[in-house]
Amino acid sequence: MILEKGKRGRLRKGSEFQRVFKTGKSHVHDLVVLYTLESGLPTSRVGFSVSKRLGCAVRRNRLKRLLREAYRSIDERVKEGFDLIVLPRWRANYSGFIEIKDALQALVKKAGLWRE
């Protein structure tokens, strides 16, 4: 699945996030947490959320940019039909792009959403 530009490829509404948080499965890594829920849609949608506990706006925005780019680099290998939420953990503040990408890739594989 290629991450679509615009609104179709992303989770945007709070109700969509809450549905994934409440009924989806979580997969944990030292740097990132991944929530997954089967949506039945022809494409997968992804949302990114960064808590205010992780730092000031500059730091949070940097983390969101890193997470988006890390997901973009692996999105072609993610199975369709799922809603995903990616949350960074505190250690992600001190990690680089490659480490975050590897953590996200490991979580997608752990969740069984990786296409060979």
Side-chain angles (χ1 to χ4, degrees):
M1 183 220 64
I2 297 174
L3 185 62
E4 295 182 35
K5 292 192 176 196
K7 297 178 184 176
R8 285 183 288 183
R10 294 186 293 178
L11 294 174
R12 309 255 317 171
K13 297 180 182 177
S15 60
E16 295 171 337
F17 275 82
Q18 287 304 316
R19 184 175 47 83
V20 176
F21 282 132
K22 287 184 181 180
T23 59
K25 294 180 181 176
S26 64
H27 308 277
V28 180
H29 188 276
D30 287 344
L31 302 177
V32 181
V33 178
L34 177 69
Y35 286 86
T36 62
L37 179 66
E38 192 166 357
S39 66
L41 297 173
T43 61
S44 286
R45 300 181 302 170
V46 64
F48 302 94
S49 179
V50 181
S51 171
K52 286 186 176 182
R53 292 182 209 158
L54 294 183
C56 65
V58 173
R59 186 171 283 183
R60 293 192 313 267
N61 288 331
R62 178 185 174 276
L63 280 172
K64 278 189 266 189
R65 286 192 306 271
L66 281 172
L67 290 171
R68 277 192 217 109
E69 192 56 36
Y71 184 79
R72 239 181 241 123
S73 69
I74 66 166
D75 69 343
E76 294 174 347
R77 306 294 297 274
V78 177
K79 290 182 181 177
E80 287 89 7
F82 288 88
D83 288 341
L84 310 170
I85 296 177
V86 181
L87 304 170
R89 299 182 87 185
W90 181 255
R91 283 194 53 210
N93 275 321
Y94 306 102
S95 302
F97 171 75
I98 299 295
E99 294 168 306
I100 291 176
K101 179 187 156 230
D102 291 344
L104 189 55
Q105 182 175 333
L107 286 178
V108 169
K109 286 180 179 180
K110 184 178 177 182
L113 303 180
W114 191 255
R115 257 191 311 200
E116 292 300 328

